[in-house]
Amino acid sequence: MAGSYRILAHTADTGLEVEADTLGSLFEWAGRGMFELMFDLGGVDAARSIEVRVESSQVDELLVDVLSELLYVAESADVVPCRFVATEATATHVALAVGVVPVETAVLIGPPIKAVTYHDLSVERRSDGTWMAHVVFDV
């Protein structure tokens, strides 16, 4: 998985700028970055894996919907996603194999993310074929 993310400063929120070689990697790195804003995931091994499938009409909405679904899964199942592998990825559909650990085994290091926002949202494919996204979270 080739990609990266950079934490963005924002007045009342926090955000990520994500870069990746493929669209699938973009979703993987966005998920990883979002949960690493909240938890220390260094050295954490997934206890089990779940599948997350999301469809949306546009790629930028798909990013919001995927990250929102990951937050929902984390909160409803009391788990922390720590590993992300895109098994399918198009501009309107993504499937992720998500490794999770029980929330009580993860170390909280940042404020909990309440929601994924549409503020300054962008997802674009660059001329060299790589992908870049900008997403802001409500904390």
Side-chain angles (χ1 to χ4, degrees):
M1 162 177 37
S4 65
Y5 66 87
R6 178 172 64 94
I7 298 170
L8 301 173
H10 194 269
T11 50
D13 300 322
T14 190
L16 295 174
E17 183 178 273
V18 184
E19 297 182 19
D21 291 340
T22 66
L23 184 58
S25 290
L26 185 81
F27 291 111
E28 294 168 356
W29 281 96
R32 178 179 177 160
M34 180 175 70
F35 283 95
E36 285 187 344
L37 286 170
M38 297 181 281
F39 297 95
D40 178 4
L41 299 181
V44 174
D45 290 323
R48 63 186 175 98
S49 185
I50 58 173
E51 183 179 53
V52 172
R53 293 180 154 294
V54 178
E55 291 188 25
S56 293
S57 61
Q58 298 178 41
V59 71
D60 56 347
E61 291 177 7
L62 183 61
L63 179 62
V64 170
D65 292 346
V66 167
L67 295 176
S68 296
E69 181 68 13
L70 289 170
L71 282 176
Y72 171 77
V73 166
E75 291 178 15
S76 64
D78 288 327
V79 296
V80 175
C82 61
R83 183 176 36 94
F84 307 85
V85 177
T87 56
E88 301 171 33
T90 70
T92 59
H93 170 82
V94 68
L96 294 171
V98 181
V100 298
V101 296
V103 71
E104 61 271 4
T105 64
V107 177
L108 186 67
I109 60 169
I113 292 174
K114 298 177 195 172
V116 184
T117 74
Y118 286 92
H119 179 73
D120 285 338
L121 175 66
S122 67
V123 178
E124 65 181 72
R125 188 169 190 186
R126 297 176 177 160
S127 60
D128 65 358
T130 62
W131 289 85
M132 180 177 210
H134 181 270
V135 62
V136 175
F137 306 107
D138 180 20
V139 292

